[in-house]
Amino acid sequence: MNIPVTMYSPGGRRSGTDKVARANSVAPILESGIVWAPDTDWAEELVEECAAFPNGDNDDMVDVTTMALMRFRQGNFVSLKTDDWGEPAHRDLVPEYY
């Protein structure tokens, strides 16, 4: 299938990127309503696990979902209206002619 696989290290408590911090970083994506969950048993379980996080019995699906949303965000596959892209760095450049 030739699916590219890259190593991913989510960090940990020492790097300030523990599960709770990562979940908080993608919370605006979930709050915006752009994430769709199908009407299936596994999706219902995922929503329930996310709702119980971090005090629930399990957090594996939350962690995987969080890492996937972070990757989508980093790859510009998902964006929010509140994202501030700023001005392009080349906007103020004046062309020079020789």
Side-chain angles (χ1 to χ4, degrees):
M1 283 175 104
N2 294 332
I3 299 173
V5 177
T6 59
M7 185 168 166
Y8 178 76
S9 177
R13 288 186 180 92
R14 292 184 184 156
S15 66
T17 56
D18 62 334
K19 288 182 181 186
V20 175
R22 289 192 304 270
N24 286 332
S25 73
V26 299
I29 297 172
L30 296 170
E31 292 166 353
S32 71
I34 62 175
V35 176
W36 173 77
D39 190 19
T40 61
D41 290 339
W42 68 264
E44 186 176 326
E45 290 174 18
L46 173 63
V47 170
E48 291 298 321
E49 190 172 302
C50 288
F53 183 78
N55 299 319
D57 293 336
N58 300 311
D59 62 6
D60 293 336
M61 289 192 292
V62 174
D63 201 29
V64 171
T65 302
T66 299
M67 287 188 285
L69 290 173
M70 287 174 63
R71 178 64 185 109
F72 292 156
R73 193 77 191 272
Q74 291 167 351
N76 294 324
F77 298 112
V78 175
S79 62
L80 299 172
K81 293 179 182 178
T82 57
D83 287 347
D84 181 20
W85 295 101
E87 294 293 324
H90 59 81
R91 181 174 168 245
D92 295 328
L93 294 177
V94 178
E96 292 183 22
Y97 299 100
Y98 297 98

Coordinates of all heavy atoms in Angstrom, one line a residue:
M1 N 0.8 -1.2 0.0 CA 0.0 0.0 0.0 C 0.8 1.3 0.0 O 0.3 2.3 -0.3 CB -0.9 0.0 1.2 CG -2.1 -0.9 1.1 SD -3.0 -0.9 2.6 CE -4.4 0.2 2.2
N2 N 2.1 1.2 0.4 CA 3.0 2.3 0.4 C 2.5 3.5 1.3 O 2.5 4.6 0.8 CB 3.3 2.8 -1.0 CG 4.1 1.8 -1.8 OD1 4.8 1.0 -1.2 ND2 3.9 1.8 -3.1
I3 N 2.1 3.2 2.5 CA 1.6 4.2 3.4 C 2.8 4.7 4.2 O 3.5 3.9 4.8 CB 0.6 3.7 4.4 CG1 -0.7 3.2 3.6 CG2 0.2 4.7 5.4 CD1 -1.7 2.5 4.5
P4 N 3.1 6.0 4.1 CA 4.3 6.5 4.8 C 4.1 6.5 6.3 O 3.0 6.9 6.8 CB 4.4 7.9 4.3 CG 3.1 8.3 3.8 CD 2.4 7.0 3.4
V5 N 5.0 6.0 7.0 CA 5.0 5.9 8.5 C 6.1 6.7 9.0 O 7.3 6.5 8.6 CB 5.1 4.4 8.9 CG1 5.0 4.3 10.5 CG2 3.9 3.6 8.4
T6 N 5.8 7.6 10.0 CA 6.8 8.3 10.6 C 6.8 8.1 12.1 O 5.7 7.9 12.7 CB 6.7 9.9 10.3 OG1 5.4 10.3 10.8 CG2 6.8 10.1 8.9
M7 N 7.9 8.2 12.8 CA 7.9 8.0 14.2 C 7.3 9.3 14.9 O 7.5 10.4 14.4 CB 9.4 7.9 14.7 CG 9.5 7.6 16.1 SD 11.2 7.1 16.5 CE 11.2 7.2 18.2
Y8 N 6.5 9.0 15.9 CA 5.9 10.1 16.6 C 6.1 9.9 18.1 O 5.8 8.8 18.6 CB 4.4 10.2 16.3 CG 3.7 11.2 17.1 CD1 3.8 12.6 16.8 CD2 2.9 10.9 18.2 CE1 3.2 13.5 17.5 CE2 2.3 11.9 18.9 CZ 2.4 13.2 18.6 OH 1.8 14.2 19.3
S9 N 6.6 10.8 18.8 CA 6.8 10.8 20.3 C 6.0 11.9 20.9 O 6.3 13.1 20.7 CB 8.3 10.9 20.6 OG 8.4 10.9 22.0
P10 N 4.9 11.6 21.6 CA 4.0 12.6 22.1 C 4.6 13.4 23.3 O 4.1 14.3 23.7 CB 2.8 11.8 22.5 CG 3.3 10.5 22.8 CD 4.4 10.2 21.9
G11 N 5.8 13.0 23.8 CA 6.4 13.7 24.9 C 5.9 13.0 26.2 O 5.5 11.9 26.3
G12 N 5.9 13.8 27.3 CA 5.4 13.3 28.6 C 5.3 14.5 29.5 O 5.4 15.7 29.2
R13 N 5.2 14.2 30.8 CA 5.0 15.2 31.8 C 6.2 16.1 31.9 O 6.0 17.3 32.1 CB 4.8 14.5 33.2 CG 3.4 13.9 33.3 CD 3.2 13.4 34.7 NE 1.9 12.8 34.8 CZ 1.6 11.5 34.6 NH1 2.6 10.7 34.2 NH2 0.4 11.0 34.6
R14 N 7.4 15.6 31.7 CA 8.6 16.5 31.8 C 8.7 17.5 30.7 O 9.2 18.6 30.9 CB 9.8 15.6 31.8 CG 10.0 14.8 33.1 CD 11.2 14.1 33.1 NE 11.3 13.2 34.3 CZ 12.0 12.1 34.4 NH1 12.8 11.7 33.5 NH2 11.9 11.4 35.5
S15 N 8.1 17.2 29.5 CA 8.2 18.1 28.4 C 7.0 19.0 28.4 O 6.8 19.9 27.5 CB 8.3 17.3 27.1 OG 7.1 16.6 26.9
G16 N 6.0 18.8 29.3 CA 4.8 19.7 29.4 C 3.8 19.3 28.4 O 2.9 20.0 28.1
T17 N 3.9 18.1 27.8 CA 3.0 17.6 26.8 C 2.4 16.3 27.3 O 2.3 15.3 26.5 CB 3.6 17.4 25.4 OG1 4.7 16.5 25.6 CG2 4.1 18.7 24.9
D18 N 1.9 16.2 28.5 CA 1.2 15.0 29.0 C -0.2 14.9 28.3 O -0.6 15.8 27.6 CB 1.1 15.0 30.5 CG 0.3 16.2 31.1 OD1 0.2 17.2 30.4 OD2 -0.3 16.0 32.2
K19 N -0.9 13.8 28.6 CA -2.2 13.6 28.0 C -3.2 14.7 28.2 O -3.9 15.1 27.3 CB -2.8 12.3 28.5 CG -2.1 11.1 28.0 CD -2.8 9.8 28.5 CE -2.0 8.6 28.0 NZ -2.7 7.3 28.3
V20 N -3.2 15.3 29.4 CA -4.2 16.4 29.7 C -3.8 17.6 28.9 O -4.7 18.3 28.3 CB -4.2 16.7 31.2 CG1 -5.1 17.9 31.5 CG2 -4.7 15.4 32.0
A21 N -2.5 17.9 28.8 CA -2.1 19.1 28.0 C -2.4 18.9 26.6 O -2.9 19.9 25.9 CB -0.6 19.4 28.3
R22 N -2.2 17.7 26.0 CA -2.4 17.5 24.6 C -3.9 17.5 24.3 O -4.4 18.1 23.3 CB -1.9 16.1 24.2 CG -0.4 16.1 24.1 CD 0.1 14.8 23.4 NE -0.4 13.6 24.0 CZ 0.3 12.9 25.0 NH1 1.4 13.4 25.4 NH2 -0.2 11.8 25.4
A23 N -4.8 17.0 25.3 CA -6.2 17.1 25.1 C -6.7 18.5 25.1 O -7.6 18.9 24.3 CB -6.9 16.2 26.2
N24 N -6.1 19.3 26.0 CA -6.5 20.7 26.1 C -6.1 21.5 24.8 O -6.8 22.4 24.4 CB -5.9 21.4 27.3 CG -6.6 21.0 28.6 OD1 -7.7 20.7 28.6 ND2 -5.8 21.0 29.6
S25 N -5.1 21.0 24.1 CA -4.6 21.7 22.9 C -5.5 21.5 21.7 O -5.6 22.3 20.8 CB -3.2 21.3 22.6 OG -3.1 20.0 22.0
V26 N -6.3 20.4 21.7 CA -7.2 20.1 20.6 C -8.7 20.3 21.0 O -9.6 20.2 20.2 CB -7.0 18.7 20.1 CG1 -5.6 18.5 19.5 CG2 -7.3 17.6 21.1
A27 N -8.9 20.8 22.2 CA -10.3 21.0 22.7 C -11.0 22.0 21.8 O -12.2 21.7 21.5 CB -10.3 21.4 24.1
P28 N -10.4 23.1 21.3 CA -11.2 24.0 20.4 C -11.6 23.3 19.1 O -12.7 23.7 18.6 CB -10.1 25.1 20.2 CG -9.2 25.1 21.3 CD -9.1 23.6 21.7
I29 N -10.9 22.3 18.7 CA -11.4 21.6 17.4 C -12.6 20.9 17.7 O -13.6 20.9 16.9 CB -10.3 20.7 16.9 CG1 -9.0 21.4 16.6 CG2 -10.8 19.8 15.8 CD1 -7.8 20.5 16.2
L30 N -12.7 20.2 18.9 CA -13.9 19.5 19.2 C -15.1 20.4 19.5 O -16.2 20.2 19.1 CB -13.6 18.6 20.4 CG -12.6 17.4 20.1 CD1 -12.2 16.8 21.4 CD2 -13.1 16.4 19.2
E31 N -14.7 21.5 20.2 CA -15.8 22.5 20.6 C -16.3 23.2 19.4 O -17.5 23.7 19.4 CB -15.2 23.5 21.5 CG -14.8 23.0 22.9 CD -14.0 23.9 23.7 OE1 -13.5 24.9 23.2 OE2 -13.7 23.5 24.9
S32 N -15.6 23.3 18.3 CA -16.0 24.0 17.1 C -17.1 23.2 16.3 O -17.8 23.8 15.5 CB -14.9 24.3 16.2 OG -14.4 23.1 15.6
G33 N -17.2 21.9 16.6 CA -18.2 21.1 15.9 C -17.8 20.6 14.6 O -18.6 20.0 13.9
I34 N -16.5 20.7 14.2 CA -16.1 20.3 12.9 C -15.7 18.8 12.9 O -15.4 18.2 11.9 CB -14.9 21.1 12.3 CG1 -13.7 21.0 13.2 CG2 -15.4 22.5 12.1 CD1 -12.5 21.7 12.6
V35 N -15.7 18.2 14.1 CA -15.4 16.7 14.2 C -16.8 16.0 14.1 O -17.6 16.2 14.9 CB -14.6 16.4 15.4 CG1 -14.4 14.9 15.6 CG2 -13.3 17.1 15.5
W36 N -16.9 15.0 13.2 CA -18.1 14.3 13.1 C -17.9 12.9 13.6 O -16.9 12.3 13.4 CB -18.4 14.2 11.6 CG -19.6 13.3 11.3 CD1 -20.9 13.6 11.5 CD2 -19.5 12.0 10.7 NE1 -21.7 12.5 11.1 CE2 -20.8 11.5 10.6 CE3 -18.5 11.2 10.3 CZ2 -21.1 10.2 10.1 CZ3 -18.7 9.9 9.8 CH2 -20.1 9.5 9.7
A37 N -18.9 12.4 14.3 CA -18.9 11.0 14.9 C -20.0 10.3 14.3 O -21.2 10.7 14.4 CB -19.0 11.0 16.4
P38 N -19.8 9.1 13.6 CA -20.9 8.3 13.1 C -21.7 7.7 14.1 O -21.4 7.7 15.3 CB -20.1 7.2 12.3 CG -18.8 7.1 13.0 CD -18.5 8.5 13.5
D39 N -22.9 7.3 13.8 CA -23.9 6.7 14.7 C -23.6 5.2 14.9 O -24.3 4.4 14.3 CB -25.3 7.0 14.2 CG -26.3 6.6 15.2 OD1 -26.0 6.5 16.4 OD2 -27.5 6.4 14.9
T40 N -22.5 5.0 15.6 CA -22.0 3.6 15.8 C -21.7 3.4 17.3 O -21.5 4.4 18.0 CB -20.8 3.2 14.9 OG1 -19.7 4.1 15.3 CG2 -21.1 3.4 13.5
D41 N -21.6 2.1 17.7 CA -21.2 1.8 19.1 C -19.9 2.4 19.5 O -19.7 2.9 20.5 CB -21.3 0.3 19.3 CG -22.7 -0.2 19.3 OD1 -23.7 0.6 19.4 OD2 -22.9 -1.4 19.1
W42 N -18.9 2.2 18.6 CA -17.5 2.6 18.9 C -17.4 4.1 19.0 O -16.7 4.6 19.9 CB -16.5 2.0 17.9 CG -16.6 2.6 16.6 CD1 -17.2 2.1 15.5 CD2 -16.0 3.8 16.1 NE1 -17.1 2.9 14.4 CE2 -16.3 4.0 14.7 CE3 -15.2 4.8 16.7 CZ2 -15.9 5.1 14.0 CZ3 -14.8 5.9 15.9 CH2 -15.2 6.0 14.6
A43 N -18.2 4.8 18.2 CA -18.1 6.3 18.3 C -18.8 6.8 19.6 O -18.3 7.7 20.2 CB -18.8 6.9 17.1
E44 N -19.8 6.1 20.0 CA -20.5 6.4 21.2 C -19.5 6.2 22.4 O -19.5 7.0 23.3 CB -21.8 5.6 21.4 CG -22.6 6.0 22.6 CD -23.9 5.3 22.7 OE1 -24.5 5.0 21.6 OE2 -24.3 5.0 23.8
E45 N -18.8 5.1 22.4 CA -17.8 4.8 23.4 C -16.7 5.8 23.4 O -16.3 6.3 24.5 CB -17.2 3.4 23.2 CG -18.2 2.3 23.4 CD -17.5 0.9 23.0 OE1 -16.3 0.8 22.9 OE2 -18.3 0.0 22.8
L46 N -16.3 6.3 22.2 CA -15.3 7.3 22.2 C -15.8 8.6 22.8 O -15.1 9.3 23.6 CB -14.9 7.5 20.7 CG -13.9 8.7 20.5 CD1 -12.6 8.5 21.2 CD2 -13.7 8.9 19.0
V47 N -17.0 9.0 22.5 CA -17.5 10.3 23.0 C -17.7 10.2 24.5 O -17.3 11.1 25.2 CB -18.9 10.6 22.3 CG1 -19.6 11.7 23.1 CG2 -18.7 10.9 20.9
E48 N -18.1 9.0 25.0 CA -18.3 8.8 26.5 C -16.9 8.9 27.2 O -16.7 9.4 28.2 CB -19.0 7.5 26.8 CG -20.4 7.5 26.4 CD -21.2 8.5 27.1 OE1 -21.0 8.7 28.3 OE2 -22.1 9.1 26.5
E49 N -15.9 8.3 26.5 CA -14.5 8.3 27.1 C -14.0 9.7 27.1 O -13.3 10.1 28.1 CB -13.6 7.3 26.3 CG -12.3 7.1 27.0 CD -11.5 6.0 26.3 OE1 -12.0 4.9 26.2 OE2 -10.3 6.3 25.9
C50 N -14.2 10.4 26.1 CA -13.8 11.8 26.0 C -14.4 12.7 27.1 O -13.8 13.5 27.7 CB -14.0 12.5 24.6 SG -12.9 11.8 23.4
A51 N -15.7 12.4 27.3 CA -16.5 13.2 28.3 C -16.0 12.8 29.7 O -16.0 13.7 30.6 CB -18.0 12.8 28.2
A52 N -15.6 11.6 29.9 CA -15.1 11.2 31.3 C -13.7 11.6 31.5 O -13.2 11.5 32.7 CB -15.3 9.7 31.4
F53 N -12.9 12.0 30.5 CA -11.5 12.2 30.6 C -11.3 13.5 31.5 O -12.0 14.5 31.3 CB -10.9 12.4 29.2 CG -9.4 12.7 29.2 CD1 -8.5 11.6 29.4 CD2 -8.9 13.9 29.1 CE1 -7.2 11.8 29.4 CE2 -7.5 14.2 29.1 CZ -6.7 13.1 29.2
P54 N -10.3 13.6 32.3 CA -9.3 12.6 32.7 C -9.6 11.7 33.9 O -8.8 11.0 34.3 CB -8.1 13.5 33.0 CG -8.7 14.7 33.7 CD -10.0 14.9 32.9
N55 N -10.8 11.8 34.3 CA -11.2 11.0 35.5 C -11.8 9.6 35.2 O -12.2 8.9 36.1 CB -12.2 11.8 36.4 CG -11.6 13.1 36.8 OD1 -10.4 13.2 37.2 ND2 -12.3 14.2 36.8
G56 N -11.9 9.3 34.0 CA -12.5 8.0 33.6 C -11.6 6.8 33.8 O -10.4 7.0 34.1
D57 N -12.1 5.6 33.6 CA -11.3 4.4 33.8 C -10.3 4.2 32.7 O -9.2 3.7 32.9 CB -12.2 3.2 33.9 CG -13.1 3.2 35.2 OD1 -12.7 3.9 36.2 OD2 -14.2 2.6 35.2
N58 N -10.7 4.6 31.5 CA -9.8 4.4 30.3 C -9.5 5.8 29.6 O -10.4 6.7 29.7 CB -10.5 3.5 29.3 CG -10.8 2.1 29.9 OD1 -9.9 1.5 30.5 ND2 -12.0 1.7 29.8
D59 N -8.4 5.9 29.0 CA -8.1 7.1 28.2 C -7.3 6.8 26.9 O -6.8 7.7 26.3 CB -7.3 8.1 29.1 CG -6.0 7.6 29.5 OD1 -5.6 6.5 29.1 OD2 -5.3 8.3 30.3
D60 N -7.3 5.5 26.5 CA -6.6 5.2 25.3 C -7.1 5.8 24.1 O -6.4 6.3 23.2 CB -6.5 3.6 25.2 CG -5.7 3.0 26.3 OD1 -4.8 3.7 26.8 OD2 -5.9 1.8 26.5
M61 N -8.5 5.7 23.9 CA -9.1 6.3 22.7 C -9.0 7.8 22.7 O -8.8 8.4 21.7 CB -10.6 5.9 22.6 CG -10.7 4.4 22.3 SD -12.4 3.9 21.8 CE -13.3 4.1 23.3
V62 N -9.0 8.4 23.9 CA -8.9 9.9 24.0 C -7.5 10.3 23.5 O -7.3 11.2 22.8 CB -9.1 10.4 25.4 CG1 -8.8 11.9 25.6 CG2 -10.5 10.1 25.9
D63 N -6.5 9.5 24.0 CA -5.1 9.8 23.6 C -4.9 9.7 22.1 O -4.2 10.5 21.5 CB -4.2 8.9 24.4 CG -2.7 9.5 24.5 OD1 -2.6 10.7 24.5 OD2 -1.8 8.7 24.6
V64 N -5.4 8.6 21.5 CA -5.2 8.4 20.1 C -5.9 9.5 19.3 O -5.4 10.0 18.3 CB -5.7 7.0 19.7 CG1 -5.7 6.8 18.2 CG2 -4.8 6.0 20.3
T65 N -7.1 9.8 19.7 CA -7.9 10.9 19.0 C -7.2 12.2 19.2 O -7.1 13.0 18.2 CB -9.3 11.0 19.7 OG1 -10.0 9.7 19.5 CG2 -10.1 12.0 19.0
T66 N -6.7 12.5 20.3 CA -5.9 13.7 20.5 C -4.7 13.8 19.6 O -4.5 14.9 19.0 CB -5.5 13.9 22.0 OG1 -6.7 13.9 22.8 CG2 -4.7 15.1 22.3
M67 N -3.9 12.7 19.6 CA -2.7 12.7 18.7 C -3.1 12.9 17.2 O -2.4 13.6 16.5 CB -1.9 11.5 19.0 CG -1.2 11.6 20.3 SD 0.0 10.2 20.6 CE -1.1 8.9 20.9
A68 N -4.2 12.2 16.8 CA -4.6 12.4 15.4 C -5.1 13.8 15.1 O -4.7 14.3 14.1 CB -5.8 11.4 15.1
L69 N -5.8 14.4 16.0 CA -6.2 15.8 15.8 C -5.0 16.8 15.8 O -5.0 17.7 15.0 CB -7.3 16.2 16.8 CG -8.6 15.6 16.7 CD1 -9.5 15.9 17.8 CD2 -9.3 16.0 15.3
M70 N -4.1 16.5 16.6 CA -2.8 17.3 16.6 C -2.1 17.2 15.3 O -1.6 18.2 14.7 CB -1.9 16.9 17.8 CG -2.4 17.3 19.1 SD -1.4 16.7 20.5 CE 0.2 17.5 20.1
R71 N -2.0 16.0 14.8 CA -1.3 15.7 13.5 C -2.1 16.4 12.3 O -1.5 17.0 11.5 CB -1.2 14.2 13.2 CG -0.5 13.9 11.9 CD 0.9 14.4 11.9 NE 1.5 14.2 10.6 CZ 1.7 15.2 9.7 NH1 1.5 16.4 10.0 NH2 2.3 14.9 8.6
F72 N -3.4 16.3 12.4 CA -4.2 17.0 11.3 C -4.0 18.5 11.4 O -3.9 19.2 10.4 CB -5.7 16.7 11.5 CG -6.1 15.3 11.2 CD1 -7.2 14.7 11.7 CD2 -5.3 14.5 10.4 CE1 -7.6 13.4 11.5 CE2 -5.6 13.2 10.1 CZ -6.8 12.6 10.6
R73 N -3.9 19.0 12.6 CA -3.7 20.5 12.8 C -2.3 20.9 12.3 O -2.2 21.9 11.6 CB -3.9 20.8 14.3 CG -4.0 22.2 14.6 CD -5.4 22.7 14.3 NE -5.6 24.1 14.3 CZ -5.9 24.8 15.4 NH1 -6.1 24.2 16.5 NH2 -5.9 26.1 15.3
Q74 N -1.3 20.1 12.7 CA 0.0 20.4 12.2 C 0.2 20.3 10.7 O 1.0 21.1 10.2 CB 1.0 19.5 13.0 CG 1.1 19.8 14.4 CD 1.9 18.7 15.2 OE1 2.2 17.6 14.6 NE2 2.1 18.9 16.4
G75 N -0.5 19.5 10.1 CA -0.4 19.3 8.6 C -1.4 20.2 7.9 O -1.5 20.1 6.7
N76 N -2.0 21.1 8.6 CA -3.0 22.1 8.0 C -4.2 21.4 7.3 O -4.7 21.9 6.3 CB -2.3 23.0 7.0 CG -1.3 23.9 7.7 OD1 -1.6 24.4 8.8 ND2 -0.2 24.2 7.1
F77 N -4.5 20.2 7.8 CA -5.7 19.5 7.3 C -7.0 20.0 8.0 O -8.1 19.9 7.5 CB -5.6 18.0 7.5 CG -4.5 17.4 6.8 CD1 -3.4 16.9 7.4 CD2 -4.5 17.4 5.4 CE1 -2.3 16.3 6.8 CE2 -3.4 16.8 4.7 CZ -2.3 16.3 5.4
V78 N -6.8 20.6 9.2 CA -7.9 21.1 10.0 C -7.5 22.5 10.5 O -6.3 22.7 10.9 CB -8.1 20.2 11.3 CG1 -9.2 20.9 12.2 CG2 -8.5 18.9 10.9
S79 N -8.4 23.5 10.3 CA -8.1 24.8 10.8 C -9.4 25.4 11.4 O -10.5 25.0 11.1 CB -7.6 25.7 9.7 OG -8.5 25.8 8.6
L80 N -9.2 26.4 12.2 CA -10.3 27.0 12.9 C -10.4 28.5 12.4 O -9.4 29.1 12.0 CB -10.1 27.0 14.4 CG -10.1 25.6 15.0 CD1 -9.7 25.7 16.5 CD2 -11.4 24.9 14.9
K81 N -11.6 29.1 12.5 CA -11.8 30.5 12.1 C -10.9 31.4 13.0 O -10.6 32.5 12.6 CB -13.2 30.8 12.2 CG -14.1 30.1 11.2 CD -15.5 30.5 11.4 CE -16.4 29.8 10.4 NZ -17.8 30.1 10.5
T82 N -10.6 30.9 14.2 CA -9.9 31.8 15.1 C -8.3 31.7 14.9 O -7.6 32.4 15.6 CB -10.2 31.4 16.6 OG1 -9.9 30.0 16.8 CG2 -11.6 31.7 16.9
D83 N -7.9 30.9 14.0 CA -6.5 30.7 13.8 C -5.9 32.1 13.2 O -6.5 32.7 12.3 CB -6.2 29.6 12.7 CG -6.4 28.3 13.3 OD1 -6.5 28.1 14.5 OD2 -6.4 27.3 12.5
D84 N -4.8 32.5 13.8 CA -4.2 33.7 13.3 C -2.9 33.3 12.5 O -1.9 32.9 13.0 CB -3.7 34.5 14.5 CG -3.1 35.8 14.1 OD1 -3.3 36.3 13.0 OD2 -2.4 36.4 15.0
W85 N -3.1 33.5 11.2 CA -2.0 33.1 10.3 C -1.0 34.3 10.1 O 0.1 34.1 9.6 CB -2.6 32.7 8.9 CG -3.4 31.5 9.0 CD1 -4.7 31.4 9.1 CD2 -2.9 30.2 9.2 NE1 -5.1 30.1 9.2 CE2 -4.0 29.3 9.3 CE3 -1.6 29.6 9.2 CZ2 -3.9 28.0 9.4 CZ3 -1.6 28.2 9.3 CH2 -2.7 27.4 9.4
G86 N -1.4 35.5 10.5 CA -0.5 36.6 10.4 C -0.2 37.0 9.0 O -0.8 36.5 8.0
E87 N 0.6 38.0 8.8 CA 0.9 38.5 7.5 C 2.1 37.7 6.9 O 3.0 37.3 7.6 CB 1.3 40.0 7.5 CG 0.1 40.9 7.9 CD -1.0 40.9 6.9 OE1 -0.6 40.9 5.7 OE2 -2.1 40.9 7.3
P88 N 2.1 37.5 5.6 CA 3.2 36.8 5.0 C 4.5 37.6 5.2 O 4.5 38.8 5.1 CB 2.9 36.7 3.5 CG 1.5 37.1 3.4 CD 1.1 37.8 4.7
A89 N 5.6 36.9 5.4 CA 6.9 37.6 5.7 C 7.4 38.3 4.5 O 8.1 39.3 4.6 CB 7.9 36.5 6.1
H90 N 7.0 38.0 3.3 CA 7.5 38.6 2.1 C 6.6 39.8 1.6 O 6.9 40.5 0.7 CB 7.5 37.6 0.9 CG 6.1 37.0 0.6 ND1 5.2 37.6 -0.1 CD2 5.6 35.8 1.0 CE1 4.1 36.9 -0.2 NE2 4.3 35.8 0.5
R91 N 5.6 40.1 2.4 CA 4.7 41.2 2.0 C 5.4 42.6 1.9 O 5.1 43.3 1.0 CB 3.6 41.3 3.0 CG 2.5 42.3 2.6 CD 1.4 42.3 3.6 NE 0.6 43.4 3.4 CZ 0.4 44.4 4.3 NH1 0.9 44.2 5.5 NH2 -0.4 45.4 4.1
D92 N 6.3 42.9 2.8 CA 6.9 44.2 2.8 C 8.2 44.2 2.0 O 8.9 45.3 2.0 CB 7.2 44.6 4.3 CG 5.9 44.7 5.1 OD1 4.9 45.2 4.5 OD2 6.0 44.4 6.3
L93 N 8.6 43.2 1.3 CA 9.8 43.2 0.5 C 9.6 44.0 -0.7 O 8.6 43.9 -1.4 CB 10.2 41.8 0.2 CG 10.6 40.9 1.3 CD1 10.9 39.5 0.8 CD2 11.8 41.4 2.1
V94 N 10.6 44.8 -1.0 CA 10.6 45.6 -2.2 C 11.5 44.9 -3.2 O 12.6 44.6 -3.0 CB 11.1 47.0 -1.9 CG1 11.1 47.9 -3.2 CG2 10.2 47.7 -0.9
P95 N 11.0 44.7 -4.4 CA 11.9 44.0 -5.4 C 13.0 44.9 -5.9 O 12.9 46.1 -6.0 CB 10.9 43.7 -6.6 CG 9.8 44.6 -6.4 CD 9.7 44.9 -5.0
E96 N 14.1 44.3 -6.0 CA 15.3 45.0 -6.5 C 15.6 44.6 -8.0 O 15.5 43.5 -8.3 CB 16.5 44.7 -5.6 CG 16.4 45.2 -4.2 CD 17.7 44.9 -3.4 OE1 18.7 44.7 -4.0 OE2 17.6 44.9 -2.2
Y97 N 15.9 45.6 -8.7 CA 16.2 45.4 -10.1 C 17.7 45.7 -10.4 O 18.2 46.7 -9.9 CB 15.3 46.2 -11.0 CG 13.9 45.9 -10.8 CD1 13.1 46.7 -10.0 CD2 13.3 44.8 -11.4 CE1 11.7 46.5 -9.8 CE2 11.9 44.5 -11.2 CZ 11.2 45.4 -10.4 OH 9.8 45.0 -10.3
Y98 N 18.3 44.9 -11.2 CA 19.7 45.1 -11.5 C 19.9 45.7 -12.9 O 19.2 45.4 -13.8 CB 20.5 43.8 -11.3 CG 20.5 43.3 -9.9 CD1 19.6 42.3 -9.6 CD2 21.3 43.8 -9.0 CE1 19.5 41.8 -8.3 CE2 21.3 43.3 -7.7 CZ 20.4 42.3 -7.3 OH 20.3 41.8 -6.1

